[in-house]
């Protein structure tokens, strides 16, 4: 049975992400692991007094965690769920649990007004960019609706793009959604024979899904994706983030202004893999 880790900090956004997860995975054979991470600086691990002072808070969180599990079992009885509370440095503990559980996906809720992607806190950004397991971030105000349209944004002219086609295929087949591929290439990029060949490899790999391809002429990559996802009423956006890359820079102030629709859809991080299939 596949394991999906849902991270909670007991906020409204976390509850929303949990409910989204229950609805999204309702017809799968996956098990949800509701994970709470009591995060603290690594320097505190050697401070006995500080650690002791945390014990009461941790006990309270354990009770809240059980209450969340009870809520799921009451409102979504068909969903298999268990819970765990761990303490430590957030990303280290999350990465450890992903490996230990061989998790297929991590789901997190983004709080705040979500008027900007900057409302993602540092833990969400780090997990989204750095974890090799797909991370789905659900805006706190976005309620679940059946996923009918999925968009995958990438630069398919890049010869070093090793797209996670297997994961894309699983998502499309599970949801029955239509797939749209958005080419996010700079107008200044040189499209040579190698680039065209890279595009063909990706198209051949996705051919059985009959995707629609969109190659916009634009200057601002983020605004182009934002406009496309709004025009097509996309339900889920998939991207390949890298540290210091395109999707990491989106969290900078200069890139978030004016991005309206991207604040209203769940975003799934995928990562390059050794082989296309």
């Amino acid at each position: 049975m596949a394991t999906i880790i849902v991270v909670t900090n007991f906020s409204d956004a976390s509850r929303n992400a949990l409910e989204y997860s229950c609805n999204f995975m309702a017809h799968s054979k996956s098990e949800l692991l509701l994970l709470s991470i009591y995060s603290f600086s690594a320097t505190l691990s050697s401070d006995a007094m500080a650690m002791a002072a945390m014990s009461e808070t941790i006990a309270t969180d354990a009770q809240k965690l059980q209450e969340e599990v009870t809520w799921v079992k009451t409102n979504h009885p068909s969903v298999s769920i268990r819970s765990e509370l761990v303490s430590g440095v957030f990303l280290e503990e999350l990465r450890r649990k992903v490996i230990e559980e061989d998790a297929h996906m991590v789901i997190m809720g983004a709080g705040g007004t979500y008027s900007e992607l900057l409302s993602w806190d540092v833990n969400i950004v780090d997990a989204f960019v750095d974890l090799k397991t797909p991370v789905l971030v659900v805006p706190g105000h976005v309620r679940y609706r059946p996923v009918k349209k999925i968009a995958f944004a990438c630069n398919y002219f890049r010869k070093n793009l090793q797209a996670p086609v297997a994961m894309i295929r699983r998502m499309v087949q599970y949801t029955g959604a239509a797939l749209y591929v958005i080419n996010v290439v700079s107008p200044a990029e040189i499209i040579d024979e190698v680039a065209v060949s890279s595009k063909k490899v990706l198209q051949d790999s996705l051919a059985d899904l009959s995707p629609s391809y969109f190659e916009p002429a634009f200057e601002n990559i983020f605004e182009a994706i934002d406009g496309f996802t709004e025009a097509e009423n996309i339900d889920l956006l998939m991207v390949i983030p890298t540290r210091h890359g395109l999707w990491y820079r989106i969290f900078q102030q200069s890139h978030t202004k004016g991005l309206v629709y991207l604040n209203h859809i769940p975003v799934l991080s995928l990562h390059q893999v050794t082989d296309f299939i």
Side-chain angles (χ1 to χ4, degrees):
M1 179 180 292
T3 299
I4 308 297
I5 295 178
V6 183
V7 180
T8 182
N9 61 3
F10 311 111
S11 64
D12 290 342
S14 289
R15 166 61 73 84
N16 182 64
L18 176 58
E19 184 163 17
Y20 188 100
S21 304
C22 291
N23 285 308
F24 185 70
M25 306 307 301
H27 303 295
S28 77
K29 297 180 180 179
S30 300
E31 178 183 46
L32 299 185
L33 170 60
L34 185 60
L35 180 66
S36 175
I37 303 174
Y38 187 86
S39 185
F40 57 86
S41 170
T43 59
L44 292 179
S45 60
S46 59
D47 187 333
M49 292 185 64
M51 294 296 289
M54 296 176 187
S55 60
E56 183 175 348
T57 301
I58 292 175
T60 300
D61 284 357
Q63 177 61 35
K64 291 179 179 178
L65 192 61
Q66 184 55 49
E67 291 172 358
E68 290 293 88
V69 171
T70 299
W71 178 86
V72 170
K73 291 182 177 180
T74 300
N75 293 278
H76 300 275
S78 65
V79 174
S80 175
I81 187 170
R82 57 190 169 91
S83 64
E84 186 170 347
L85 187 151
V86 298
S87 59
V89 179
F90 183 88
L91 189 59
E92 292 179 4
E93 291 302 316
L94 180 54
R95 183 180 287 113
R96 181 180 65 82
K97 289 306 298 181
V98 165
I99 295 173
E100 181 180 297
E101 298 287 341
D102 191 23
H104 287 205
M105 185 186 298
V106 174
I107 302 178
M108 308 175 72
T113 61
Y114 216 72
S115 59
E116 295 180 339
L117 296 180
L118 289 175
S119 64
W120 292 23
D121 65 32
V122 65
N123 286 335
I124 296 176
V125 174
D126 287 345
F128 186 79
V129 175
D130 292 333
L131 284 183
K132 300 307 178 185
T133 298
V135 176
L136 178 64
V137 179
V138 181
H141 65 278
V142 174
R143 301 298 177 259
Y144 174 80
R145 66 182 185 187
V147 177
K148 298 180 179 179
K149 293 185 176 182
I150 294 175
F152 172 48
C154 69
N155 180 349
Y156 50 58
F157 288 119
R158 292 288 173 86
K159 65 180 180 180
N160 65 340
L161 173 65
Q162 296 170 311
V165 172
M167 183 60 184
I168 296 172
R169 179 175 287 108
R170 285 198 296 270
M171 289 294 291
V172 170
Q173 291 175 342
Y174 174 69
T175 60
L179 176 63
Y180 297 77
V181 179
I182 311 171
N183 188 34
V184 288
V185 58
S186 168
E189 185 160 344
I190 297 174
I191 310 302
D192 55 17
E193 291 184 4
V194 174
V196 174
S197 175
S198 297
K199 173 183 176 180
K200 186 177 185 305
V201 170
L202 179 62
Q203 289 181 321
D204 290 347
S205 300
L206 296 173
D208 62 309
L209 301 178
S210 301
S212 298
Y213 289 88
F214 179 60
E215 300 183 9
F218 57 85
E219 294 183 1
N220 187 298
I221 292 174
F222 304 124
E223 289 181 0
I225 297 173
D226 191 55
F228 178 83
T229 53
E230 179 180 19
E232 292 295 336
N233 200 25
I234 298 298
D235 299 305
L236 177 68
L237 176 66
M238 298 187 293
V239 301
I240 303 178
T242 57
R243 182 67 63 172
H244 307 303
L246 176 71
W247 287 97
Y248 184 76
R249 297 199 309 273
I250 198 172
F251 301 104
Q252 299 175 2
Q253 179 70 44
S254 60
H255 293 291
T256 58
K257 186 178 180 180
L259 297 183
V260 178
Y261 198 76
L262 288 183
N263 302 323
H264 294 276
I265 56 175
V267 184
L268 178 66
S269 69
L270 304 177
H271 291 271
Q272 295 181 19
V273 293
T274 302
D275 300 307
F276 275 91
I277 304 299

